[in-house]
Amino acid sequence: MSEIRDTYEVVIGLEVHAQMLTKSKAYSNDKNEYGSVPNTNVSAVTLGHPGTLPVMNKKTIENAIKLGLALHCDIAENQYFARKNYFYPDLPKGYQITQDLTPICTGGYAIVKDENENEKKIGLTRIHMEEDAGKSIHDIDVKDTLVDLNRAGVPLLEIVTEPDFRSSTEAYNYLTEIRKLVRYLDICDGNMEEGSMRCDANVSVRKIGATEFGTKIEVKNMNSIRNVQRAIEFEITRQIEVLENGGELFMETRQYDALKNITIAMRSKEAANDYRYFPEPDLTPLKVTVNQIDAIKAEMPALPRDLFLRYTNEFKLSEYDAYNLTDNKSIALYYESILKRTKEYKLAANWMMGDIKSYLNSQGKEMEEFPISAEKIADLISIIQEGKISNTVASQKVFPEMLNAPEKSPLAIAESMNLIQDSNEDSILGFIAEVMKQHPEEVTRYKNGEKQLTGFLMGQLMKISKGKADPKSANQMLRNELEK
Amino acid sequence: MKITDEVIEHIAHLARLEFEGDKKVTIKEDMERIISFIEKLQELDTENVEPLIFMSDEVNVLREDVAVDTLTQEQALSNAPKKDSDYFRIPKVLG
């Protein structure tokens, strides 16, 4: 199979729907909230009652512009909305208010890694604003379908890519990037399991060298990024098999079944699509000014890719560290806060990826729940850097105590636990004299050439000093004394 | 313009309406008349005329992102022909 597969090229385009984290809905003032009692977040507008009029939520436009800027899109100056007409019970108005001919963002791209870890650009066709439908529940009651309209009218951003993906891995990496981005921008919580971020994949295959695209098949119903990848993989294999067996593919929508890891035909697309778009007369046109875009630009947080490039280029962190520090917004923000008080980039990164991460993992906690402030971690790093305590003592003694008493300063903890290192020359010389007195035999052997005995003698010195001698200066001074 | 049976059936399906026998003939004639009005309008030369989409000059009528409770669940469900304590109930639809 893999040899046959190598003669085909895979072409994928993705459509992502992201539910916006607004307080109210797109065109009406009822609550936008997940998990409420059914049919409580509704208004006369959402229910499609006669005589009601939609009014656009300002925040949705800001969100769309933010995402557009982050993805290098052109922002349309003049826009208007459109009605997409179809009948379905969870769409009370009988049409969805969306953007058809004048999407708010066009062009742009995302930078994504392919399977060889090389970066490539995925072109974006458009990003537009629209509203979600309600929820139909078919499996609670035998005879009836139940309808909950809490979700109806929830603002969405639809992000459509060009058919630029050549593998399911690229699709996986793209979705990871988009999710990271919407979370950094506070636009969407990116939760695919709860459906606040959804993805449809358009998958086709063609013989390598073919100039025409193959038949495009849409796959839906994937509730995780991993499942999007699996569904695409299944679809590639299925399509190649059909073609290799002399069969024909036709445009259709298929549903992914995660339990069986297969896709199933849902409906044929040929006749179904006739949405009769026309301009939405109940909303005024939108005009976006350059000033408005500049104001939003000024408020944008640092984006994961900018941080990644700064950490690798400026701070000289490894790509691995930089990736892990920027993967999650709250981790990146915490790291940035540490750096406000110390310039020990590498040491701070080690603490983030080491002790702090292990603590969070072992407690099953998120960064937001970490009890110690970034300022206190910065102070801890400073006293290590100043040689007051060793990294080991910081990690094994001071850090656990900080977790118990997050309000205490690390210096106060180190002092009260009597952990401050002694870098006073006289006292270190005293320790050395004591070691040499206790172990004359080893000293003689050292002088006769067994240089590796410094390790043993240093160990004794640390023991005598009860771990408080500053190991760096003690080591140097011990060698000096032994060479005398 | 001649309206064919296929066109009538397609449009009727989109509107979830059914036309049989005489009614199909009547609706066909009505539609042909409507279309010919439009065809009359289309005789006008609109080269170099910007399309007019909105009748008013107003732009950017927006609201702040503030949520308000305007309806109770009971009120929301009150006009439904069929409902239970939480949901609108409708004849079973699949997919």
Side-chain angles (χ1 to χ4, degrees), chain A residues 22-31 37-40 42-44 47 49 55-59 61 80 87-89 137-138 140-149 271 274 276 279-281 283-287, chain B residues 10-17 51-80 82-95:
Chain A
T22 53
K23 296 186 185 75
S24 65
K25 291 189 179 173
Y27 315 112
S28 55
N29 60 5
D30 32 339
K31 228 183 274 163
V37 175
N39 296 304
T40 51
V42 290
S43 64
L47 297 176
H49 282 298
V55 188
M56 186 75 196
N57 183 342
K58 205 185 249 178
K59 188 83 188 164
I61 301 161
Y80 59 88
F87 281 127
Y88 205 76
I137 304 157
H138 307 291
I140 292 186
D141 192 84
V142 199
K143 288 213 299 288
D144 291 340
T145 288
L146 309 182
V147 180
D148 173 11
L149 295 175
D274 190 351
R276 294 149 293 147
E280 165 59 83
L283 287 172
T284 62
L286 280 185
K287 210 176 172 68
Chain B
H10 177 61
I11 290 171
H13 171 72
L14 289 172
R16 301 293 185 272
L17 296 172
L52 177 71
I53 301 174
F54 294 92
M55 304 306 258
S56 128
D57 289 335
E58 270 192 294
V59 293
N60 294 355
V61 177
L62 308 170
R63 62 181 179 82
E64 296 298 326
D65 180 27
V66 178
V68 182
D69 286 325
T70 53
L71 288 180
T72 64
Q73 189 198 40
E74 198 189 345
Q75 285 172 320
L77 294 168
S78 62
N79 287 329
K82 196 171 181 189
K83 65 205 166 198
D84 59 29
S85 54
D86 279 341
Y87 293 98
F88 294 93
R89 281 180 171 257
I90 55 159
K92 196 117 190 154
V93 282
L94 284 174

Side-chain angles (χ1 to χ4, degrees), chain A residues 83-95:
Chain A
R83 288 188 183 179
K84 179 179 177 179
N85 299 281
Y86 65 94
F87 281 127
Y88 205 76
D90 54 27
L91 187 77
K93 297 192 300 299
Y95 56 85

